[in-house]
Amino acid sequence: MDRLMLGPRFSAFREFVSTPRSAVAVGIIVVIVCAALFADVIAPMDPNAQDYTVVLQPPSLDHLLGTDHLGRDLLSRLIHGSQVALLVGVASVGLAAVLGSFLGLLSGYASGLVDEAMMRVMDALFAFPSVLLALGITAALGPGTFTIVIAIAVADMPVFARLTRGQVLTVRERDFVTAARALGAKPKRLIFRHIWPHVTTPVMVMASLHVGFAILTEAALSFLGLGVQPPTSSWGGVLRTGFAFLETAPWLSAFSGAAILIAVFGLNLLADALRDYTDPRG
Amino acid sequence: MAKFLARRAFTTCIVVILVSIISFSIVNVLPGDLAAAILGEEGGADSQRYEELRASLGLDQPLYIQYLNWLTDALRGDFGISMRTQEDIGPAIVSRAVPTIQLAIFAMALSILVSVPVGVISAVRQRTMVDTGGTLFAILGVATPGFWLGIMLMLVFAVWLRWLPPSGFVPFWENPVEALRLMIMPGIALASGLTGVLIRQVRASVIEVLGEEYIVAARSKGLTERVVLYKHAFRNAIFPVVTLIGLQVGQTFGGAATVEVVFSIPGLGRLAVDSIFFRDFTMIQAVMMFLALTVLLTSLLADIVYARLDPRVRYA
C-alpha cells in the first residue's frame, strides 16, 4: 500500500514502534487484545468444560499448560481470562479518568473554596489503600465484574483529579488563555477548547499506566474470592485455585501469575514509552 | 515552617473527618442492617426483637445521628464490639496491627536497601546496559503481583527446597531469628512493587540533581566524583524519595492484605478480608478508618521530615 495514503498518524505510529521498548510493549498488548477478542476461536477447548479423566494434569501436548482440579484446560481458561482483565482494566480506568479529569478541571479552574473542598475529598479517598477501598466497595455492592469496575474507578479517581488539576493550574496562567479570556471566551469554552487539550496527553500516559494497576487490583480481588465470580475465568481466580493446589499442581499458580505479570509489564512499558515520546524533555 | 505545619495539620484534620464519613457510609450502604445481621435468618422474622435490638443499637436514629454517635465513641477509642467474634474492636485492631506494621517496616527497609543503590548506579551510568538493566528490573518489580511472587517463593523455598517455613508469624522481639526467617518471603513479596517505584524515583531525581549548576561548580573546584556524588548530589536527590516513601505506605498496607492471606499472617489486611467475608460491619468500618488514619499520619510525618531535612522548605 502506498505509504503516503496512510497519512501522518501512521508514520507517527511507525516512529513510535521503532524503538525496541515500544515494539515489545505494542507486541504484548496486541497479543492480549487478540486473545481477548478472538478467545472463542483461539482457545483450544471450552474454558468451562470439565473432564474428570484429566484432573490436575501437568502440561502436555494435549493440554499445553496442564489442567485444573476439574479437568479444565488451563490455556483456554487463561485466554478467556484476558477478556476479564482487559474489560475491567480499560473500563475502570476509563471511568476513573473521565470522572477524575472532569473534577480536576473544575477544581483547577474554579479555585478557592470549591477547589479546596473537592481536593480534600480526593485526599480522603486517596488515604485508603486502593485494594482495601475496592474491597470495601465490593463488600457494599456485592461481588461481580460490574462492581469491581466501579470499585477500582472510585479508588483510582483521585490520581486523575490531582493530575488534571495540576495541569490546569499551570496552563490557566499561560498567555494564550489570558488572550482567549480577553477576547471574551466564556469559562466553558476556555476550559474545553483552550485548557483541556493540554491535559489530555498526561492523562493518557497516566491511564495506560493505571490500566496495568487496575489489572493487578482485579487479580488481587479475584484471588481473595471477592472479585470476578466463578465459573467466569479470570487470572486472579485461576491463581486462587492454583494456590489451593500449590503442591500438587504448581503450574496453575505459575502460569496464571505469569499471565498477569506479562500483561501489566506490557502496559507499564507502553506508558513509559508514551511518556518519553510525548515529553522529550523527560 | 510553623505556618506550613499548622496549615498541613489543619487540612489533615478535615481529611480525617472525610475519611470517617467514607468509612461509615461504605458499611451503611451494605444491604440489610446490623440488627438483622446479629439476629441471623431465623431471628430476623421476630419483628419485636428486631425493633428492640435496633433501638438498643441506636439504629432507629437518623443516619447522621448514628454517624455522630459512632464518631464520638471512636474518638474515645471505643469502636464497639465485633459482630463476628464479640471481642472489643479497639484492642483487636491494635493486636492485629503488630504483624502488619512489622512486615511493612521490614518490606520498606528491604526496598530502600535495594532501590537506592540500584537507582543511583542507573543514574550515574545513564544510557548504558547497567541503566537498562536497572530500569527493566524496576518495571518488572512494579508489574509483578506481590502475592504471586510470594506464592512462587513459597513453592521454591518452602515446598521444594524446605529452607524456610512456609507460613506463620512471630513478633521480632520474641525471637528475632525465627521472625526474620518467617518474614523473608512475605517481605520480598510486599517489597517488589515498592522497590520498582523507588528505583525509578531515585534514578530520576539523581539525574535531575546531577544537571544542577552547583554540581558543575563542585566538579570545577576539583572535588572527586565520589564526593560530588555522595556529598552534593545524593543529599539533594533524596528529598523527593522521602515524600514518595510516605505516599507509598498506603499501597504497602493494601498489598499486605493479599500477602497476609498467602502467608497466614494474622495482620490487619487479613482481618479486613475476613471481616468482609463474614459481613462483620463494625470491624470493617474500624479497620478501614484505622488504615486510612495511619496513611494520613505517615504522610504528615513525611512532610515534617522533609521540612527538617530541607532548609529551603523550612525557611520558605
Side-chain angles (χ1 to χ4, degrees):
Chain A
M1 202 186 285
D2 188 355
R3 200 186 297 169
L4 284 173
M5 274 175 61
L6 290 165
R9 277 174 193 276
F10 184 72
S11 39
F13 178 73
R14 274 172 63 110
E15 190 195 328
F16 177 67
V17 291
S18 63
T19 64
R21 180 181 50 179
S22 25
V24 170
V26 171
I28 291 174
I29 292 164
V30 166
V31 168
I32 295 169
V33 170
C34 287
L37 287 178
F38 307 114
D40 291 327
V41 186
I42 302 171
M45 288 168 204
D46 176 352
N48 294 321
Q50 306 181 358
D51 181 353
Y52 289 96
T53 60
V54 288
V55 169
L56 296 176
Q57 293 286 307
S60 66
L61 281 177
D62 286 339
H63 298 278
L64 286 175
L65 299 184
T67 60
D68 69 4
H69 63 303
L70 300 173
R72 296 176 294 191
D73 181 55
L74 180 59
L75 177 61
S76 308
R77 286 189 74 68
L78 292 184
I79 290 175
H80 279 266
S82 63
Q83 293 178 331
V84 171
L86 277 189
L87 177 74
V88 171
V90 172
S92 60
V93 173
L95 195 60
V98 169
L99 292 177
S101 325
F102 184 68
L103 290 179
L105 272 177
L106 282 185
S107 202
Y109 188 81
S111 65
L113 203 61
V114 179
D115 175 34
E116 192 68 22
M118 286 213 273
M119 281 303 120
R120 294 297 81 80
V121 174
M122 291 299 127
D123 286 353
L125 280 177
F126 199 69
F128 294 97
S130 54
V131 170
L132 226 87
L133 184 59
L135 272 177
I137 297 173
T138 3
L141 302 177
T145 313
F146 179 69
T147 315
I148 298 181
V149 170
I150 302 286
I152 298 177
V154 172
D156 236 14
M157 202 170 58
V159 175
F160 290 95
R162 283 182 176 182
L163 175 74
T164 310
R165 175 176 174 272
Q167 287 288 317
V168 172
L169 288 185
T170 53
V171 173
R172 56 177 283 172
E173 301 306 326
R174 305 249 307 257
D175 287 342
F176 65 85
V177 177
T178 317
R181 192 179 291 129
L183 285 171
K186 298 256 163 28
K188 203 170 127 193
R189 186 178 168 85
L190 279 177
I191 293 179
F192 290 104
R193 185 87 198 184
H194 297 278
I195 297 178
W196 175 240
H198 293 264
V199 178
T200 43
T201 305
V203 167
M204 291 285 283
V205 173
M206 186 66 99
S208 61
L209 186 65
H210 275 255
V211 172
F213 294 158
I215 291 178
L216 285 177
T217 308
E218 184 270 314
L221 294 180
S222 297
F223 173 73
L224 293 171
L226 290 158
V228 176
Q229 296 299 298
T232 305
S233 176
S234 75
W235 294 338
V238 175
L239 189 46
R240 177 181 171 80
T241 318
F243 184 51
F245 295 95
L246 186 61
E247 289 188 41
T248 47
W251 55 87
L252 290 173
S253 306
F255 292 132
S256 54
I260 304 169
L261 170 60
I262 292 168
V264 180
F265 179 74
L267 286 159
N268 284 4
L269 222 50
L270 178 76
D272 226 39
L274 273 179
R275 193 183 45 213
D276 287 355
Y277 183 74
T278 54
D279 182 13
R281 285 164 300 163
Chain B
M1 168 78 174
K3 205 176 155 195
F4 160 74
L5 282 183
R7 193 187 136 70
R8 196 60 183 74
F10 176 70
T11 50
T12 303
C13 286
I14 293 183
V15 175
V16 167
I17 294 172
L18 291 168
V19 158
S20 72
I21 294 176
I22 295 172
S23 308
F24 180 79
S25 39
I26 275 188
V27 171
N28 279 284
V29 298
L30 282 167
D33 69 6
L34 208 58
I38 290 174
L39 289 173
E41 300 232 327
E42 314 87 67
D46 186 345
S47 62
Q48 199 195 337
R49 260 182 72 203
Y50 173 70
E51 289 304 330
E52 277 170 22
L53 190 62
R54 265 176 69 89
S56 74
L57 290 167
L59 293 177
D60 51 348
Q61 308 271 357
L63 213 52
Y64 71 95
I65 303 263
Q66 289 184 40
Y67 165 72
L68 288 176
N69 287 340
W70 177 72
L71 189 66
T72 43
D73 284 348
L75 285 175
R76 287 198 302 261
D78 175 13
F79 285 94
I81 287 172
S82 159
M83 287 166 48
R84 180 165 63 105
T85 58
Q86 307 299 323
E87 57 188 329
D88 256 339
I89 288 178
I93 285 187
V94 172
S95 74
R96 302 291 287 262
V98 171
T100 304
I101 291 171
Q102 179 175 312
L103 182 62
I105 291 176
F106 180 73
M108 293 190 121
L110 201 64
S111 214
I112 294 168
L113 278 178
V114 173
S115 59
V116 170
V118 173
V120 171
I121 293 170
S122 271
V124 174
R125 302 268 172 86
Q126 207 186 338
R127 293 177 210 284
T128 63
M129 288 295 279
V130 184
D131 181 24
T132 311
T135 305
L136 203 63
F137 181 68
I139 300 183
L140 274 175
V142 177
T144 307
F147 61 101
W148 175 69
L149 182 62
I151 294 174
M152 290 295 105
L153 290 172
M154 185 191 269
L155 179 67
V156 174
F157 295 102
V159 178
W160 289 345
L161 299 172
R162 301 196 181 280
W163 289 353
L164 291 168
S167 58
F169 173 79
V170 173
F172 187 73
W173 55 91
E174 276 178 18
N175 184 344
V177 177
E178 190 58 20
L180 282 176
R181 274 166 57 82
L182 282 167
M183 272 198 303
I184 291 176
M185 293 190 292
I188 294 175
L190 196 53
S192 68
L194 180 63
T195 309
V197 175
L198 284 184
I199 288 176
R200 312 211 67 185
Q201 180 62 59
V202 171
R203 177 181 179 274
S205 51
V206 169
I207 287 176
E208 196 181 329
V209 168
L210 284 177
E212 296 277 346
E213 281 177 3
Y214 58 80
I215 297 293
V216 180
R219 276 186 185 140
S220 57
K221 72 181 182 187
L223 294 180
T224 61
E225 203 50 37
R226 178 180 287 266
V227 176
V228 171
L229 187 62
Y230 291 106
K231 203 158 172 193
H232 296 261
F234 184 67
R235 284 199 179 177
N236 284 295
I238 209 68
F239 300 129
V241 180
V242 172
T243 313
L244 186 68
I245 292 173
L247 286 175
Q248 288 292 321
V249 170
Q251 292 311 313
T252 308
F253 281 148
T258 42
V259 170
E260 284 173 3
V261 168
V262 168
F263 289 98
S264 309
I265 296 169
L268 278 180
R270 230 186 88 199
L271 180 63
V273 174
D274 289 348
S275 320
I276 287 171
F277 261 115
F278 292 98
R279 312 190 76 71
D280 190 347
F281 305 111
T282 42
M283 189 64 100
I284 302 173
Q285 272 176 342
V287 173
M288 289 193 66
M289 176 90 185
F290 180 84
L291 284 176
L293 280 186
T294 316
V295 170
L296 286 175
L297 287 180
T298 38
S299 131
L300 184 63
L301 196 70
D303 275 6
I304 295 173
V305 170
Y306 191 124
R308 294 283 310 164
L309 286 175
D310 191 346
R312 283 168 300 189
V313 176
R314 216 181 311 157
Y315 299 119

